Amino acid sequence: MDESDLNDAFQARIDAEEKIEPGDWMPARYRQQLIRQISQHAHSEIIGMQPEGNWITRAPTLNRKCILLAKVQDEGGHGLYLYSSAETLGISRDEMVAALHTGAAKYASIFNYPTLTWADVGAIGWLVDGAAIVNQVSLQRTSYGPYARAMVRICKEESFHQRQGYHIMMVLAAGSVEQKQMAQDAVNRFWWPSLMMFGPHDADSAHSAQNMVWKIKRQTNDELRQKFVDQTVQQAEAIGLTLPDPDLKWNEARGRYDFGEIDWDEFQRSMTGGGPCSRQRLAHHREAHAEGEWVREASQAWAKKQKQRKEAVS
Ligand code: FAQ
């Protein structure tokens, strides 16, 4: 078969909802788009450990501390499944980490914002994990098998994360005046960056059109953002918090909420290294990566030795 026949056969498999697996023929551009998206998703999970990790030593109770520890550890696990999934496409972990460090690969801009109070941990769980789930539920049906399967477990864990965040906010919102103010302040700072997690408007999204045809993405950035807004408004109302958007209102004709415009300049800045904590996040990752060098060397040496032993026995 020539290249054009291969492409047609590939698209027919996608259209028939077949999963594409690592050894299958795929267009070079499909492979490259998957590596880009999955590795950026993995980097987001790993960098996303930092803002919440900031509160592990200061959680208000032992119970909250245990929950937060487990959550941050889960995010590390998500990063690892995703790196493994990207590795099946022929890129190494070292190459992905190098791309993160040079800025060639991105991570979700939300993690460039600071966590100033304990309520921010609640807001991240409720809003950031909440937004992540909306996207990731859709990605469970992505066309690449290893990515779709990684999403199944990730979604289960993110649901627990979202609920723990919402519970923190629920308790604070029902607490003292100061606690409710702290919760509201966290929502005020995290609401708009959470909406940015879905990326640019569809008309401005460089990758959406082709990746929808390949079913790498199953819903567009704007569709997912709308879904998130619709489900979150009522959650906010239920605990007496206000979403900081004067244009937010129910649209009877559409059967959905209308909402205001994102500050796209802020999005661009935060996405390209100009967020309030961008430098700090990457510097911390570089430092931790360098400190872990001896662990990677030791584990590789051990694996090599095990392989030699097995070969000697067989
Ligand atoms: N931040 O053409 P599009 C989590 C970039 S997981 C930074 O629309 P695409 C769990 C985009 O990469 C959160 N960059 O791109 C957790 C592209 O740049 P490039 C992460 C962004 O790929 C919770 C350019 O803009 N989730 O939070 C952002 O079709 C709590 C053009 O955009 C995922 O990664 C952004 N917000 O759609 C962890 C889900 N938005 O590559 C710890 C998987 C866009 O050309 C604590 N990813 N860009 O240089 C996706 O679904 C997609 O990649 C989108 C973007 C929807 C993010």
Side-chain angles (χ1 to χ4, degrees):
M1 285 210 272
D2 65 16
E3 184 86 4
S4 157
D5 293 335
L6 284 167
N7 271 312
D8 290 347
F10 177 79
Q11 191 61 48
R13 290 188 63 198
I14 301 269
D15 294 344
E17 294 293 332
E18 272 183 48
K19 291 283 178 243
I20 307 301
E21 297 298 337
D24 296 349
W25 186 88
M26 60 186 83
R29 181 89 183 131
Y30 175 86
R31 185 186 299 277
Q32 192 254 323
Q33 282 293 319
L34 277 171
I35 289 175
R36 181 190 63 81
Q37 180 168 321
I38 302 173
S39 66
Q40 293 188 182
H41 195 164
H43 298 325
S44 304
E45 301 279 359
I46 299 294
I47 297 286
M49 295 167 78
Q50 292 185 39
E52 288 177 301
N54 182 34
W55 280 90
I56 290 173
T57 54
R58 291 177 288 156
T61 65
L62 181 59
N63 189 33
R64 290 287 188 204
K65 185 185 177 105
C66 293
I67 295 170
L68 184 58
L69 262 174
K71 183 205 189 286
V72 172
Q73 185 172 294
D74 284 352
E75 307 298 1
H78 298 173
L80 299 187
Y81 317 145
L82 287 163
Y83 284 130
S84 300
S85 165
E87 280 175 315
T88 65
L89 291 155
I91 185 166
S92 71
R93 184 90 54 97
D94 283 345
E95 288 170 299
M96 287 185 269
V97 171
L100 171 69
H101 288 172
T102 61
K106 296 189 169 74
Y107 58 87
S109 58
I110 186 100
F111 301 119
N112 289 324
Y113 292 84
T115 40
L116 303 176
T117 69
W118 170 249
D120 290 6
V121 173
I124 290 181
W126 173 32
L127 301 175
V128 178
D129 284 272
I133 299 170
V134 169
N135 191 356
Q136 291 171 162
V137 163
S138 176
L139 287 172
Q140 289 180 121
R141 295 188 303 115
T142 188
S143 56
Y144 187 56
Y147 192 22
R149 289 188 288 274
M151 280 302 122
V152 175
R153 175 161 172 187
I154 290 179
C155 282
K156 286 187 181 148
E157 293 179 350
E158 301 286 30
S159 298
F160 153 70
H161 299 166
Q162 194 269 356
R163 275 153 197 267
Q164 67 85 36
Y166 190 60
H167 189 255
I168 291 174
M169 296 308 261
M170 199 167 86
V171 171
L172 290 175
S176 65
V177 173
E178 289 81 3
Q179 285 172 320
K180 186 165 183 183
Q181 272 169 359
M182 189 165 73
Q184 185 60 56
D185 173 60
V187 174
N188 293 348
R189 285 180 290 107
F190 277 93
W191 174 247
W192 290 104
S194 301
L195 295 190
M196 294 174 195
M197 287 177 71
F198 298 95
H201 281 311
D202 296 349
D204 303 320
S205 164
H207 306 295
S208 282
Q210 178 61 62
N211 289 352
M212 290 289 287
V213 174
W214 277 331
K215 298 187 181 173
I216 291 176
K217 288 168 90 159
R218 302 302 305 243
Q219 285 172 287
T220 69
N221 299 358
D222 284 327
E223 283 166 359
L224 292 166
R225 187 167 18 241
Q226 179 73 58
K227 200 169 176 186
F228 172 68
V229 171
D230 290 343
Q231 75 179 36
T232 310
V233 172
Q234 283 162 22
Q235 292 170 4
E237 280 169 6
I239 55 175
L241 295 177
T242 308
L243 300 176
D245 178 358
D247 297 324
L248 187 68
K249 59 173 182 307
W250 179 250
N251 182 324
E252 195 62 47
R254 290 201 309 128
R256 325 224 47 181
Y257 283 92
D258 289 338
F259 54 97
E261 197 51 86
I262 287 170
D263 180 344
W264 294 109
D265 290 339
E266 180 184 331
F267 170 70
Q268 277 299 332
R269 252 194 328 275
S270 178
M271 183 174 74
T272 51
C277 299
S278 303
R279 282 172 184 224
Q280 183 188 331
R281 299 291 184 241
L282 268 187
H284 184 78
H285 191 279
R286 282 198 193 96
E287 202 181 312
H289 190 68
E291 273 177 16
E293 180 65 35
W294 71 270
V295 179
R296 290 191 296 280
E297 271 174 16
S299 61
Q300 274 163 12
W302 186 80
K304 194 172 162 193
K305 197 154 194 159
Q306 288 295 100
K307 194 168 166 234
Q308 283 166 349
R309 273 208 195 115
K310 269 191 199 147
E311 280 166 2
V313 171
S314 61

